[in-house]
Amino acid sequence: MAMTKEKWKQEILRYLFMLIGCFFYALCLDLFLVPNHIVGGGVTGLATLGNILFHWNVGTVAILLNIPILLLGLKTQGWVFIVRCFITNMVLGIFTDLFAFLPSITQNPLLAAMYGGLAQGVAIGLFVRFAVSSGGTELLGRVIHHGLPHIGIPTWIAILDGIIVLTGAVVMKNPENVLYALILIFIATKVSDTVITGLNRAKLCYIITERPDEVSRTLLENSPRGVTNLSGKGMYSGTPKGVLLTCVKSHQLVELRRLVRSVDEEAFVIVSETTEVRGKGFESMEEE
C-alpha cells in the first residue's frame, strides 16, 4: 500500500529527530562520559568500558554489540522496529566515532555525569517520542521479557544496566562510578520524561462544592476551559455534593482558585499534576 503524504511527513520527522537524538547521545559520550571514565548503563556503557581498557572505538564496539541483540529481537519485535533500531544504531555509532576528536568540556566527573545525563535525556526522550531505538539493553529487556514475562520490561532493563554499571566499577576498581552512573541515569530519566511529555503541563482540578451550578457558571464565563459536573455525596454529612472536573494550564491555577472562592468559600479544591492533556485548548489529538 502506497504511503500517504501524511505518513511520509511522519517518517521524515521521525528520522530527522532520530538524527538529532543520535547527535546529543554522541556528544554525551564524547564530551562527558568517555573522557571522564564514567561507565553508564546500556551497550554504550560496555563500549565505554572497552575504550577505557583497550582504547577501542566506542561507536564501532556499540554497533557490533548491538547486532546480535537486534537479531534476537527480530522474531518478537517485528522487522519494521528492528530496521529502525539498526539504522539508529548505525547512525549513533558513526556519530560517536566521528565526534571522538572533540575535547572534553570538563574534567570534573560530577559535572560530567550531570551534563551527560542532560544530553542523554534529550536523546532518549526523542527516541521514545518518535518511536525509534538504538537497541541495547532496552531491546534486550524486551526480548528477555518475552521469554520470562513474570518480570516487567523496565525491571529487566534496570537489572541489565545495573550489571553493566557494577561491572565497570569492579573492573576499574572505582566504586564511585556507581554514584556517578546513578546521577547520570536520574537526570537522563527526568529530562527524557520532559521531552516526551513536553513542558506545557496542565493541572487537573477537582472542585467539591454544594453550589456546583454557580461555580461552574462563573468558571465558564471567565475561562476558556470546560467544566464537567460529577455527582458526589459527602459521606460524613450525607448531603449531595457537586464534583467539578476541569483542566487548566499552570498559569491559570491562581485565577481558578480566586473564581471558586468568590462563589463558594467553603469549596474544596484538589489539584494534581497531569503529564499529558490532549484536546481543545491543549495539545492536538493527532498522532505525532
Side-chain angles (χ1 to χ4, degrees):
M1 182 181 294
M3 291 181 65
T4 64
K5 183 178 179 180
E6 187 62 31
K7 287 290 185 181
W8 275 112
K9 181 181 177 181
Q10 289 179 8
E11 288 302 303
I12 291 171
L13 283 176
R14 187 193 313 280
Y15 286 102
L16 173 62
F17 281 100
M18 179 271 286
L19 290 172
I20 296 173
C22 287
F23 174 76
F24 274 97
Y25 209 125
L27 291 185
C28 162
L29 294 168
D30 292 329
L31 297 183
F32 301 109
L33 303 190
V34 176
N36 285 282
H37 290 186
I38 298 176
V39 177
V43 166
T44 54
L46 282 177
T48 300
L49 185 59
N51 176 271
I52 294 169
L53 297 176
F54 308 109
H55 305 289
W56 292 338
N57 291 338
V58 175
T60 302
V61 172
I63 291 173
L64 295 175
L65 289 175
N66 262 309
I67 289 175
I69 297 175
L70 294 174
L71 293 175
L72 284 173
L74 185 60
K75 182 178 180 181
T76 59
Q77 304 302 312
W79 69 269
V80 173
F81 181 75
I82 295 301
V83 168
R84 287 178 185 169
C85 288
F86 177 76
I87 295 172
T88 307
N89 177 44
M90 292 295 294
V91 173
L92 177 56
I94 292 170
F95 276 12
T96 302
D97 287 348
L98 185 64
F99 300 136
F101 72 93
L102 294 173
S104 174
I105 292 180
T106 177
Q107 300 301 317
N108 184 322
L110 180 58
L111 288 176
M114 293 171 63
Y115 284 96
L118 178 62
Q120 189 180 94
V122 171
I124 294 173
L126 290 174
F127 288 166
V128 174
R129 186 161 184 169
F130 292 92
V132 296
S133 171
S134 61
T137 53
E138 189 262 340
L139 178 57
L140 188 56
R142 289 170 181 260
V143 173
I144 297 175
H145 173 74
H146 185 77
L148 299 170
H150 57 283
I151 298 178
I153 294 175
T155 303
W156 280 119
I157 296 172
I159 291 172
L160 295 169
D161 285 344
I163 292 172
I164 293 170
V165 169
L166 288 173
T167 300
V170 171
V171 172
M172 295 188 300
K173 299 179 181 179
N174 180 18
E176 287 187 349
N177 178 76
V178 177
L179 304 180
Y180 295 136
L182 288 175
I183 294 171
L184 168 76
I185 294 168
F186 177 80
I187 294 176
T189 301
K190 292 297 182 182
V191 173
S192 64
D193 182 59
T194 300
V195 172
I196 294 166
T197 61
L199 291 170
N200 194 20
R201 295 192 177 188
K203 303 291 185 179
L204 176 63
C205 303
Y206 292 95
I207 304 162
I208 303 173
T209 174
E210 294 182 4
R211 303 165 66 182
D213 293 336
E214 296 173 59
V215 172
S216 59
R217 184 165 57 249
T218 300
L219 292 177
L220 291 171
E221 289 173 352
N222 293 274
S223 170
R225 306 298 168 205
V227 181
T228 300
N229 187 4
L230 310 175
S231 61
K233 177 182 178 182
M235 298 307 295
Y236 179 77
S237 63
T239 58
K241 299 277 187 178
V243 182
L244 304 179
L245 171 66
T246 185
C247 278
V248 298
K249 294 184 178 180
S250 297
H251 67 273
Q252 297 171 322
L253 183 58
V254 173
E255 178 66 7
L256 178 137
R257 288 198 295 250
R258 186 190 69 79
L259 291 170
V260 171
R261 190 169 59 249
S262 69
V263 178
D264 184 3
E265 292 186 351
E266 302 298 322
F268 197 70
V269 180
I270 302 172
V271 181
S272 62
E273 293 282 351
T274 62
T275 57
E276 183 175 358
V277 181
R278 291 185 179 269
K280 187 176 180 180
F282 293 93
E283 295 292 328
S284 169
M285 289 291 289
E286 295 179 3
E287 292 293 330
E288 295 175 349

